[in-house]
């Protein structure tokens, strides 16, 4: 940074650049612009200039030979040519080593200085078959050995729509030119690194929340543009992987245009909640998809000429999306104007670079700067959304805490146990709160009613419905001895009030004086009774439809005799449907085997055994995918 340098632009006139009055020991960089001698359809070696006098014409550099104002050489721009420039020096600078930065040209070249080859890309030839295309910027050196230097440049192009020298050739001392080169590499790497960080950030956001697709599309867009930046200008991708065929680099460069526009269009559509016209979005997909296939299968020489149609579509698509983004932006946001500036500047740089690539203006590529500004403004918007989400999460956590407290109030604080009936219950919600529910009627020392229910789904919605179930059940105490009436009345109350969410339920009325238990069921897992006389579990078949879906349900009552020391088990399907790492379910048979194996344990001890077995089966508690509720009733 201490070395001050600038670009000096003396113009070459009729093939001569006069530097005799210029201090060539300075750190000033000279751009070799102006009129170079030009010999169309000829590959002339430096030695041939001394032997024969050639018909001289002049051509403007930098500019494609088929885009000159006065004469256009070849259409299409296929052919070969020789450029020649004489640089005049002050004799006191003889012996100095000078540096030239050669840009990539279209599409192969060899450069001589004073009759010696100092740089080349690919292999020049007079036909497509005799040449080998390649494009890579280079830095080369030569020594001033007299008062003049002869530069001879042979170029062949039989592949691209523009031929010749399209970018500035820089001349000067090594340090300033190398620094200029390093700055351009630094800018390229900085843009790629910034895009890569944004890519990882948005990809991580998508992994966390896969329902929010803008993060995925923006990550893909950043990945595609990163590849494009590496393929253009300094062509760092070519330096990193130099062994691929030249055509592959060019096809990849063109494909990034197609895929970049498609992913950006879908990003805008998802970001603004599908505000893009469906037909226009499909047209963008089809149009650029067609050209992507075209780029892959068609010879490069034809692909190059298709860019005019691609560029027109880029401008129209970009303008349409810019209008949508400006129209749909929330101007109440503090970053809205900054965001609008970012997308507008990106569109401006897109138009600018298309015009520059078409040689319609003389400038430099600005898309990298446009991308940086757009990514920066987009990141500010993402940060603002992230802060909103974090604030919302704080609110949700507070609401969840309130919901947990409310849910605790709808479950019985004390589980009833009489002289002849002992009950234990366990409830483990999958989320912070859940949709399972149990409650009891303690009628007297010999009579208890027990309800277990399961609302479809999890979280707050299921918890809200469970609260409604609690209200419906609390109103049925006068009908506690008639399970069918309890179920039918609860359905009448719940119908139309569950948001379409079905509820399964099972009610058991236990009478230890008559030693009977009556069941009524609404789509719930069947009740189990461990019989003390046989030491086996019996599954009680109780028919019944789910609650809350049908206006009227037909309920049956199944009555079973019970004995002293029998055990009644009510449970939700979260127990039997837990899966292990092999995707195998725990299953009813395995559950029954545990009941029969550990019948001698007290109800609370048995519940601990079952819960431990379920967690071990799942692998860990985080793999439990449903609420778990278990009610054990022992007849003493």
């Amino acid at each position: 940074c201490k070395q001050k340098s600038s670009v000096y632009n003396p113009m070459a006139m009729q093939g001569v650049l006069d530097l005799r009055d210029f201090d060539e020991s300075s750190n000033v960089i000279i751009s070799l612009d102006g009129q170079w001698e030009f010999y169309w359809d000829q590959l002339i070696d430096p030695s041939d200039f001394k032997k024969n006098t050639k018909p001289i014409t002049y051509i403007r550099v930098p500019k494609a030979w088929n885009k000159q104002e006065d004469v256009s050489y070849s259409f299409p721009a296929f052919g070969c040519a020789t450029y020649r420039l004489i640089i005049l020096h002050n004799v006191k600078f003889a012996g100095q080593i000078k540096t030239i930065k050669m840009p990539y040209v279209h599409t192969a070249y060899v450069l001589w200085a004073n009759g010696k080859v100092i740089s080349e890309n690919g292999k020049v030839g007079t036909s497509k078959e005799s040449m080998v295309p390649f494009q890579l910027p280079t830095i080369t050196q030569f020594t001033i050995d007299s008062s003049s230097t002869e530069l001879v440049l042979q170029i062949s192009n039989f592949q691209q729509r523009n031929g010749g020298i399209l970018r500035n050739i820089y001349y000067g001392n090594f340090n300033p030119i190398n620094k200029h080169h390093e700055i351009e590499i630094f800018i390229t790497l900085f843009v790629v690194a910034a895009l890569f960080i944004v890519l990882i950030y948005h990809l991580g956001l998508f992994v966390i929340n896969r329902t929010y697709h803008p993060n995925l599309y923006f990550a893909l867009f950043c990945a595609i543009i990163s590849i494009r930046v590496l393929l253009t200008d300094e062509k760092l991708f070519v330096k990193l992987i130099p062994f691929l065929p030249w055509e592959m680099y060019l096809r990849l460069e063109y494909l990034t245009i197609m895929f970049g526009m498609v992913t950006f269009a879908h990003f805008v559509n998802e970001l603004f909640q599908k505000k893009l016209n469906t037909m226009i979005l499909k047209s963008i997909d089809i149009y650029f998809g067609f050209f992507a296939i075209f780029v892959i299968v068609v010879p490069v020489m034809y692909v190059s000429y298709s860019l005019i149609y691609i560029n027109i579509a880029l401008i129209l698509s970009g303008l349409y999306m810019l209008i949508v983004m400006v129209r749909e932006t929330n101007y109440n946001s503090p970053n809205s104007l900054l965001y609008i500036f970012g997308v507008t500047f990106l569109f401006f740089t897109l138009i600018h670079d298309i015009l520059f690539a078409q040689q319609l203006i003389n400038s430099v590529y600005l898309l990298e700067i446009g991308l940086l500004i757009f990514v920066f403004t987009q990141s500010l918007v993402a940060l603002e959304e992230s802060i909103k989400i974090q604030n919302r999460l704080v609110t949700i956590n507070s609401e969840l805490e309130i919901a947990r407290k409310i849910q605790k109030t709808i479950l019985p604080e004390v589980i009833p146990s009489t002289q002849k009936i002992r009950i234990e219950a366990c409830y483990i919600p999958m989320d912070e709160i859940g949709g399972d529910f149990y409650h009891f009627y303690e009628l007297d020392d010999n009579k208890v009613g027990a309800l277990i229910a399961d609302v479809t789904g999890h979280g707050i919605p299921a918890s809200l419905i469970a609260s409604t179930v609690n209200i419906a059940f609390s109103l049925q105490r006068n009908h506690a001895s008639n399970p069918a009436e309890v179920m039918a009345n609860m359905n009448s109350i719940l119908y139309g009030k569950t948001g379409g969410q079905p509820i399964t339920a099972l009610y058991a009325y236990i009478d230890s004086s008559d030693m009977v238990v009556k069941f009524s069921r609404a789509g719930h897992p069947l009740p189990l009774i461990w019989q003390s006389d046989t030491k086996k579990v019996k599954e009680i078949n109780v028919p019944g439809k789910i609650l809350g879906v049908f206006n009227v349900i037909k309920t049956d009552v199944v009555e079973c005799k019970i004995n002293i020391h029998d055990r009644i088990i009510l449970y939700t399907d979260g127990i039997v449907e837990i899966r292990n790492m092999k995707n195998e379910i725990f299953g009813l048979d395995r559950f029954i085997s545990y009941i029969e194996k550990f019948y001698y344990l007290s109800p609370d001890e048995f519940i601990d055994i079952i819960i431990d077995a379920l967690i071990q089966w799942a692998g860990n508690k985080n793999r439990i995918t449903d609420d778990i509720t278990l009610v054990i009733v022992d007849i003493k």
Side-chain angles (χ1 to χ4, degrees):
C1 293
K2 291 188 295 182
Q3 295 180 354
K4 294 182 179 180
S5 64
S6 60
V7 177
Y8 174 55
N9 289 313
M11 298 298 291
M13 300 297 294
Q14 296 185 342
V16 177
L17 181 64
D18 192 347
L19 299 181
R20 287 175 295 184
D21 296 329
F22 174 70
D23 181 7
E24 296 201 46
S25 63
S26 68
N27 287 324
V28 176
I29 299 173
I30 295 175
S31 182
L32 302 182
D33 299 348
Q35 295 176 334
W36 288 46
E37 294 180 17
F38 185 72
Y39 304 89
W40 174 244
D41 204 25
Q42 301 175 73
L43 296 179
I44 306 172
D45 291 344
S47 59
D48 291 336
F49 283 103
K50 298 177 182 179
K51 296 177 183 178
N52 302 302
T53 301
K54 306 291 180 182
I56 298 177
T57 57
Y58 300 98
I59 193 170
R60 179 183 166 189
V61 172
K63 193 159 190 174
W65 60 46
N66 55 306
K67 293 291 181 70
Q68 300 292 316
E69 289 86 356
D70 49 352
V71 61
S72 181
Y73 295 91
S74 179
F75 185 85
F78 298 156
C80 60
T82 300
Y83 292 75
R84 183 170 180 256
L85 178 69
I86 302 298
I87 304 176
L88 302 180
H89 310 280
N90 190 313
V91 291
K92 69 178 182 179
F93 296 116
Q96 277 198 4
I97 299 175
K98 308 306 291 185
T99 302
I100 288 180
K101 182 184 178 184
M102 273 296 295
Y104 62 89
V105 304
H106 293 186
T107 310
Y109 77 86
V110 58
L111 173 66
W112 284 268
N114 296 325
K116 297 179 180 178
V117 175
I118 60 172
S119 181
E120 57 186 324
N121 261 197
K123 179 184 176 183
V124 296
T126 56
S127 65
K128 183 176 183 295
E129 293 72 25
S130 63
M131 72 163 291
V132 177
F134 197 70
Q135 292 178 309
L136 189 66
T138 61
I139 292 180
T140 186
Q141 293 181 307
F142 69 94
T143 303
I144 299 175
D145 56 10
S146 66
S147 60
S148 66
T149 296
E150 178 191 53
L151 298 181
V152 176
L153 180 63
Q154 295 179 356
I155 299 178
S156 297
N157 177 59
F158 292 92
Q159 289 81 16
Q160 294 190 270
R161 70 190 187 285
N162 292 321
I165 307 170
L166 277 63
R167 291 164 179 79
N168 299 93
I169 301 174
Y170 292 115
Y171 166 90
N173 294 323
F174 175 78
N175 284 338
I177 286 186
N178 186 59
K179 185 174 291 292
H180 182 268
H181 176 65
E182 287 176 343
I183 289 173
E184 290 183 338
I185 292 177
F186 170 79
I187 292 172
T188 300
L189 291 177
F190 181 81
V191 172
V192 171
L195 290 171
F196 182 76
I197 291 170
V198 175
L199 183 161
I200 296 299
Y201 174 69
H202 282 83
L203 200 59
L205 290 177
F206 175 71
V207 170
I208 294 171
N209 181 10
R210 299 193 178 186
T211 61
Y212 190 68
H213 292 139
N215 287 326
L216 174 62
Y217 286 118
F218 195 68
L220 291 175
F221 176 73
C222 289
I224 293 166
I225 297 303
S226 296
I227 295 172
R228 177 166 181 79
V229 171
L230 290 173
L231 284 165
T232 54
D233 292 340
E234 292 299 316
K235 295 192 175 290
L236 297 182
F237 190 90
V238 182
K239 293 180 180 178
L240 182 66
I241 308 175
F243 48 82
L244 296 179
W246 171 82
E247 288 189 357
M248 186 172 293
Y249 299 119
L250 194 62
R251 292 184 194 275
L252 281 174
E253 182 181 335
Y254 290 162
L255 286 174
T256 57
I257 301 175
M258 321 304 166
F259 294 136
M261 178 50 73
V262 170
T263 53
F264 188 77
H266 282 275
F267 161 70
V268 173
N269 188 49
E270 293 291 337
L271 182 66
F272 292 98
Q273 300 177 351
K274 304 189 184 302
K275 293 295 184 179
L276 293 188
N277 181 278
T278 304
M279 290 301 298
I280 293 178
L281 184 63
K282 287 182 178 179
S283 298
I284 291 173
D285 291 342
I286 294 171
Y287 190 88
F288 287 100
F290 166 77
F291 274 104
I293 297 172
F294 184 83
V295 166
I296 293 172
V297 301
V298 172
V300 169
M301 58 186 297
Y302 300 114
V303 172
S304 178
Y305 280 89
S306 70
L307 279 183
I308 182 63
Y309 306 105
I310 296 171
N311 287 336
I312 291 172
L314 279 175
I315 294 172
L316 294 177
S317 302
L319 180 61
Y320 170 69
M321 283 184 280
L322 175 64
I323 293 171
V324 171
M325 287 187 282
V326 171
R327 184 186 64 201
E328 298 297 332
T329 295
N330 177 17
Y331 291 95
N332 294 323
S333 168
N335 291 323
S336 59
L337 294 179
L338 192 61
Y339 179 75
I340 291 299
F341 170 75
V343 296
T344 304
F345 192 78
L346 178 64
F347 179 71
F348 166 76
T349 56
L350 172 67
I351 301 297
H352 172 276
D353 284 13
I354 288 174
L355 296 176
F356 179 49
Q358 293 293 328
Q359 298 273 289
L360 297 176
I361 59 175
N362 185 20
S363 182
V364 294
Y365 282 109
L366 296 178
L367 187 60
E368 292 178 354
I369 298 174
L371 284 169
L372 276 180
I373 292 177
F374 173 74
V375 168
F376 174 72
T377 55
Q378 178 60 32
S379 297
L380 285 180
V381 173
L383 178 61
E384 182 183 357
E385 290 299 319
S386 178
I387 292 172
K388 288 180 181 178
I389 291 171
Q390 289 178 8
N391 292 335
R392 179 60 181 153
L393 285 175
V394 171
T395 304
I396 290 174
N397 285 332
S398 175
E399 293 171 352
L400 280 173
E401 184 60 34
I402 296 172
R404 278 194 295 270
K405 292 178 181 178
I406 293 173
Q407 187 167 47
K408 286 181 179 179
T409 64
I410 70 172
L411 296 175
E413 291 184 9
V414 179
I415 297 176
S417 285
T418 69
Q419 289 183 350
K420 291 190 176 181
I421 301 172
R422 180 181 177 183
I423 302 176
E424 291 291 342
C426 173
Y427 172 46
I428 302 176
M430 171 193 164
D431 298 320
E432 297 292 334
I433 54 177
D436 283 7
F437 171 78
Y438 65 85
H439 221 302
F440 308 97
Y441 297 134
E442 185 178 359
L443 304 172
D444 58 39
D445 284 347
N446 296 308
K447 300 179 179 65
V448 173
L451 176 76
I452 187 170
D454 184 359
V455 180
T456 301
H458 314 284
I460 292 177
S463 173
L464 290 173
I465 298 173
S467 299
T468 308
V469 173
N470 176 48
I471 295 171
F473 180 67
S474 65
L475 298 174
Q476 309 308 314
R477 187 179 181 87
N478 293 336
H479 309 289
S481 61
N482 189 341
E485 197 166 346
V486 170
M487 287 286 102
N489 290 343
M490 287 181 63
N491 182 73
S492 298
I493 295 172
L494 295 171
Y495 177 71
K497 299 179 179 66
T498 65
Q501 294 289 92
I503 304 163
T504 69
L506 177 67
Y507 176 69
Y509 174 72
I510 302 133
D511 186 346
S512 60
S513 59
D514 292 339
M515 298 303 286
V516 296
V517 57
K518 299 177 183 178
F519 296 107
S520 190
R521 172 175 166 267
H524 202 79
L526 296 174
L528 305 174
I529 299 178
W530 178 82
Q531 298 175 318
S532 57
D533 54 351
T534 64
K535 302 292 190 295
K536 296 292 182 183
V537 172
K538 181 179 180 181
E539 188 176 37
I540 311 303
N541 185 16
V542 184
K545 290 183 178 181
I546 56 178
L547 298 179
V549 175
F550 305 102
N551 187 18
V552 178
I553 61 171
K554 183 178 181 298
T555 55
D556 295 324
V557 175
V558 175
E559 183 176 312
C560 298
K561 284 290 183 180
I562 52 176
N563 299 310
I564 295 175
H565 304 311
D566 279 2
R567 174 169 286 175
I568 301 167
I569 301 99
L570 313 179
Y571 64 96
T572 56
D573 57 8
I575 290 178
V576 296
E577 293 181 357
I578 286 180
R579 296 181 178 271
N580 61 12
M581 299 294 289
K582 298 179 181 179
N583 205 33
E584 300 168 334
I585 62 171
F586 189 77
L588 179 61
D589 291 340
R590 186 174 282 102
F591 182 41
I592 290 175
S593 71
Y594 272 86
I595 297 172
E596 293 177 346
K597 181 178 180 181
F598 296 103
Y599 69 90
Y600 58 87
L601 295 176
S602 64
D604 54 338
E605 292 173 334
F606 174 74
I607 287 174
D608 289 342
I609 289 289
I610 287 296
I611 298 304
D612 287 344
L614 294 175
I615 293 174
Q616 289 180 19
W617 180 261
N620 59 68
K621 189 176 179 180
N622 294 330
R623 285 183 49 82
I624 296 176
T625 57
D626 200 357
D627 302 332
I628 293 174
T629 302
L630 182 60
V631 176
I632 305 295
V633 181
D634 274 6
I635 308 301
K636 296 192 288 187

